[in-house]
Amino acid sequence: MEAIAGAEDWLARRNWAAWFLAFTASALVLALRAPDSLVHPQFWAEDGSVFFADQLHHGAPRLFLPYAGYLLLIPRAVAWIASAFSAFYAPAIYSYSALLIGAASIASLREMRLGLGGFAFLLAPFALTPTNGEVFGTLTNVQWFTQFYEIVVVSRFIDGRPPANTWRAGAATILAGLTGPFCVFASAAAAIGWLWIWRVGQRGASSPWSRLRSPAAYGVGILMLCSFVQLWVMRNGAEDTHATFAQWIGGVDIMFAALQSHFFGHRLMWDSVFLAIVTIVVAASLIWIPLAGGDRATLACILVFVLAGFLAAGIKAHNPALIWTEIVFGDRYFFATKIFIWWCVAAALALILRRGPGVRLATLTLLLGASVVYANSSLQRAPMQNKNWGQFARQIDNGEAVTVPINPNWQMSLPARKPPSFEQ
C-alpha cells in the first residue's frame, strides 16, 4: 500500500518523467478502447463531412469557421495540417491526433488530487466506464476530452497553484477554450469556486483577492475570453439552437431519465432511486468526506462544470428529432457526468472503507468491472466499417469530384479542384 501511495506522490510531481508516464498510461487506455482507430483508421461523421471537406482545396487554415454553433479550433487545425499530405493519410492523422490530444488531456488530471488518492483513481473510470465508444478514436469528439483540461485550469485557480510553464499552459488553454462550448461552463465553475473561497474567508496568500493576482488566474482569464468569443459565435451563428423554456425543461427531463441507461448500459433500478443514490454520493463527497479545503472547492467546481454541461444539452429539445438521435443515443453528452460520478464514488470509498489507497483502488476497479459485466460491454468500441478510403483518396488527390461513404453510414460529396485562374 505504501508503494502505491509513493508512486502516486511521484506521479503528481510536475516533471517530464511523471507527465510522460501519465500520458503513456492514458494513451494506452484510449488505444485499448478503440484499437481499430489506430490499426484501420476511418473517418467518423464530421471528421470527413465537415473538417476534411471544409479544408479541401484551401491552402489557408479555416480555423475560425464555426460548426454546430461554436468554434472547433483543434479539429480545424488538425485538418489544416493533414491537408499538406496526401488524402490517403488523412484518416490516420485524424485518429492518431485524437489519441494524442485525448491522452494529453487526461494526463493533465494528474495535477488534481481531490482527496481520492492519486491519478490512478482519476484514470480508472476512463478505462472501465461502459460507453458506446463514440468519443474514442475520433477527431470529431476530441472536445469531450479537452474539456477535462479546462477543469484542470480551474483547479489550478482554486488551489492557487501556477502551471509549470505559463506560456505553454496558456497556449493549451486557448486551444481547448476555442474547441467546443466548455469554456463557458469552466468560467462559471471558476466563478463559483472563487465565491466559495470568498465565503470561507481565507486570508493571506490563500485569500480570494490574491487568487485573482496569481499566475493561475491567467488561465481562467483566457477561458473567460474564450467564453465571450464562443458566446458571440453562438449568438451570431446561422444555426438555430434556441429552445423555449418548456422545451428545454423537457429536454433536461429526458437527460435525467436517460442517465442511468448511459451509466450502467441498462436500467438497473427505478430512475428516481438511481438519481437519489447519485445525489447522496455527490453530497457525501462535498459535505461529509474529510477533504482538504482546496479539494472540496475543486470538487464543487467540477460539479458546477458537469451540471452546466448536462443541463445545456437539454437545449437540443428545440428540435424533437435531436432528442433521440443526440440525447438518448449520444453517449458523449453523458461522458463527463459519468466520469464525475465515479470520482465521487472513489471519494466516498475513503469514508466507507477507511483503508489505504490500494484497497480503495481495488474496490473501485471491482465496482467499475461489475458495471461493465452488467452492461455486457467489451470495453472496446465496435470496429468501424471499412469504406475503402484508399480508392477515393486517389481521386481526391487527382482533383476529381467524388462522393465518399464514411462512418456511420454517411456520405460526403467533395467538389473537383478548380483550375488556377490567371488574370490578363
Side-chain angles (χ1 to χ4, degrees), residues 43-68:
F43 275 147
W44 172 265
E46 288 89 350
D47 286 352
S49 64
V50 175
F51 304 122
F52 180 83
D54 287 346
Q55 187 61 54
L56 185 65
H57 307 322
H58 290 84
R62 314 198 77 189
L63 300 178
F64 301 103
L65 186 64
Y67 176 72

Side-chain angles (χ1 to χ4, degrees), residues 15-85:
N15 56 57
W16 281 104
W19 183 89
F20 182 75
L21 181 59
F23 173 82
T24 302
S26 303
L28 181 61
V29 165
L30 297 183
L32 290 176
R33 299 216 65 170
D36 69 296
S37 66
L38 306 179
V39 180
H40 302 292
Q42 301 281 326
F43 275 147
W44 172 265
E46 288 89 350
D47 286 352
S49 64
V50 175
F51 304 122
F52 180 83
D54 287 346
Q55 187 61 54
L56 185 65
H57 307 322
H58 290 84
R62 314 198 77 189
L63 300 178
F64 301 103
L65 186 64
Y67 176 72
Y70 43 79
L71 300 178
L72 291 159
L73 184 58
I74 291 177
R76 296 287 188 189
V78 172
W80 174 55
I81 294 171
S83 68
F85 304 90

Side-chain angles (χ1 to χ4, degrees), residues 290-354:
L291 297 175
D295 293 341
R296 198 181 304 279
T298 299
L299 200 63
C301 287
I302 300 175
L303 172 61
V304 172
F305 178 92
V306 168
L307 191 59
F310 191 84
L311 296 178
I315 203 170
K316 295 288 183 179
H318 80 283
N319 184 339
L322 293 179
I323 294 178
W324 299 105
T325 59
E326 295 287 325
I327 293 181
V328 176
F329 297 107
D331 193 64
R332 58 194 180 276
Y333 296 107
F334 301 85
F335 187 55
T337 303
K338 294 190 293 184
I339 297 295
F340 173 71
I341 292 174
W342 280 114
W343 286 350
C344 289
V345 170
L349 289 176
L351 179 66
I352 298 172
L353 298 179
R354 299 185 182 277

Side-chain angles (χ1 to χ4, degrees), residues 121-141:
F121 289 87
L122 298 170
L123 179 62
F126 289 96
L128 297 173
T129 298
T131 173
N132 64 10
E134 67 172 349
V135 298
F136 296 104
T138 61
L139 185 63
T140 291
N141 290 318

